[in-house]
Amino acid sequence: MTAFDMERILAETMVRRIEYRPEIASTNDLAIELATAGADIFPSLTVTDRQTGGRGRGANQWWAADGALTFSLTIDAQANSLEPHSWPKMSLTVGLSVCETLEHLLAGRRVHLKWPNDVYLERRKVCGVLVETIAPRPGLIVIGIGINVNNTFVDAPVERCSIATSMSDVTARSFDLTDVLIRQLQQIERRIKTVVADSADLAEAWRTRCMLEGRTLSIELGPRRLTGVCHGIDDDGALIIQTEGGIERCFAGSISQIH
Ligand code: BTN
């Protein structure tokens, strides 16, 4: 039996349609498949108890053992007044919304945002975000989120447990997945409103949680690699790097090393 209470999700969030699968390769893939086939009720949620082939940014994979929360929310940008110029802020904004959810549920724990969209709990990765658009449905945005909730890394190989954690590993208790999901969906909705309003609080909120600020790092920008000291995140979501050649503002890229 699933841990998700569909009636509560529909009653307490902006979600208007739910596609649940006990097991699926990727909730983002299912969302894209449904939208491509002509789905027309949004926001829609694709959610599963067991995701077996989760995708991450670039060539990354997302491993989710039982007890993890993996879902995708598909929104109609126009219906949410999200102008295309604000779409590049979405990944960072969604990452921020996860930080805020975890801060609420885990009061007193350190939660940080690793640009562009990873969330770290007590210095280990607890969540990944994958925001995608759909070529045949250009007005739709798929927000895929994986949060390590009740799964554990305690018995994982050292190379994994040293970099990943879960909410239950940190607190030694378990969480109701419906409660976490509802809180997270509500926080995304709140944060989308601040993107639309172009609110100054948005940039301030991701700046104060930036885990890279002050660190020397390397970032891969396609064939180019930059190394320098991170000066935080700009109002438009760019990562600011002080390199030997001057200030660089990065809108995309992958952090390959934190020195
Ligand atoms: C990353 O770490 O690079 C991002 C990982 C994103 C994983 C989530 S889990 C739900 C959704 N479905 C997927 O296939 N990926 C995202």
Side-chain angles (χ1 to χ4, degrees), residues 114-133:
K114 182 180 168 211
W115 182 96
N117 53 8
D118 289 339
V119 176
Y120 276 61
L121 172 60
E122 314 250 294
R123 310 225 167 271
R124 293 186 169 106
K125 183 163 169 173
V126 69
C127 163
V129 173
L130 179 64
V131 174
E132 298 186 294
T133 49

Side-chain angles (χ1 to χ4, degrees), residues 26-28 51 53-57 60 62 70-72 118 125 128-130 144-146:
S26 156
T27 57
N28 264 37
Q51 183 174 259
R55 295 187 291 106
R57 295 176 69 238
N60 292 352
W62 181 259
T70 50
F71 67 96
S72 305
D118 289 339
K125 183 163 169 173
V129 173
L130 179 64
I145 301 182

Side-chain angles (χ1 to χ4, degrees), residues 67 69 98 101-106 109 121 125-127 147-153 164-177 179-181:
L69 176 61
V98 176
T101 298
L102 299 194
E103 284 162 8
H104 175 82
L105 295 172
L106 309 171
R109 303 284 173 174
L121 172 60
K125 183 163 169 173
V126 69
C127 163
I147 307 178
N148 296 323
V149 180
N150 295 324
N151 50 321
T152 180
F153 293 86
T165 193
S166 72
M167 291 169 65
S168 82
D169 278 346
V170 163
T171 57
R173 54 164 283 219
S174 63
F175 293 81
D176 182 310
L177 286 182
D179 286 344
V180 179
L181 176 57

Side-chain angles (χ1 to χ4, degrees), residues 35-252:
T36 305
D40 59 359
I41 301 176
F42 302 107
S44 74
L45 176 73
T46 52
V47 63
T48 185
D49 295 322
R50 185 174 300 126
Q51 183 174 259
T52 55
R55 295 187 291 106
R57 295 176 69 238
N60 292 352
Q61 292 175 315
W62 181 259
W63 299 102
D66 285 359
L69 176 61
T70 50
F71 67 96
S72 305
L73 178 72
T74 307
I75 58 169
D76 177 335
Q78 205 177 6
N80 284 279
S81 310
L82 274 169
E83 301 287 343
H85 70 81
S86 65
W87 293 13
K89 288 184 184 171
M90 283 302 291
S91 291
L92 201 51
T93 303
V94 172
L96 168 65
S97 75
V98 176
C99 287
E100 292 170 326
T101 298
L102 299 194
E103 284 162 8
H104 175 82
L105 295 172
L106 309 171
R109 303 284 173 174
R110 285 174 305 168
V111 186
H112 284 104
L113 186 56
K114 182 180 168 211
W115 182 96
N117 53 8
D118 289 339
V119 176
Y120 276 61
L121 172 60
E122 314 250 294
R123 310 225 167 271
R124 293 186 169 106
K125 183 163 169 173
V126 69
C127 163
V129 173
L130 179 64
V131 174
E132 298 186 294
T133 49
I134 308 170
R137 299 290 301 272
L140 300 180
I141 300 175
V142 178
I143 299 167
I145 301 182
I147 307 178
N148 296 323
V149 180
N150 295 324
N151 50 321
T152 180
F153 293 86
V154 169
D155 297 324
V158 69
E159 63 277 10
R160 182 154 298 189
C161 74
S162 61
I163 55 168
T165 193
S166 72
M167 291 169 65
S168 82
D169 278 346
V170 163
T171 57
R173 54 164 283 219
S174 63
F175 293 81
D176 182 310
L177 286 182
T178 300
D179 286 344
V180 179
L181 176 57
I182 287 175
R183 181 89 204 176
Q184 181 53 48
L185 290 167
Q186 291 171 339
Q187 196 58 28
I188 292 175
E189 188 180 9
R190 278 187 210 111
R191 276 298 171 196
I192 287 176
K193 287 185 182 139
T194 62
V195 173
V196 172
D198 206 11
S199 156
D201 129 87
L202 183 64
E204 191 50 34
W206 65 46
R207 256 196 291 275
T208 55
R209 291 169 178 83
C210 177
M211 143 179 163
L212 301 174
E213 183 152 13
R215 308 287 300 269
T216 301
L217 54 82
S218 296
I219 179 167
E220 311 293 324
L221 305 160
R224 214 168 139 230
R225 175 180 234 241
L226 287 180
T227 297
V229 178
C230 175
H231 284 202
I233 306 169
D234 222 340
D235 285 4
D236 52 8
L239 192 72
I240 308 167
I241 315 276
Q242 173 75 61
T243 68
E244 282 184 356
I247 290 278
E248 297 265 358
R249 287 164 23 87
C250 306
F251 288 93

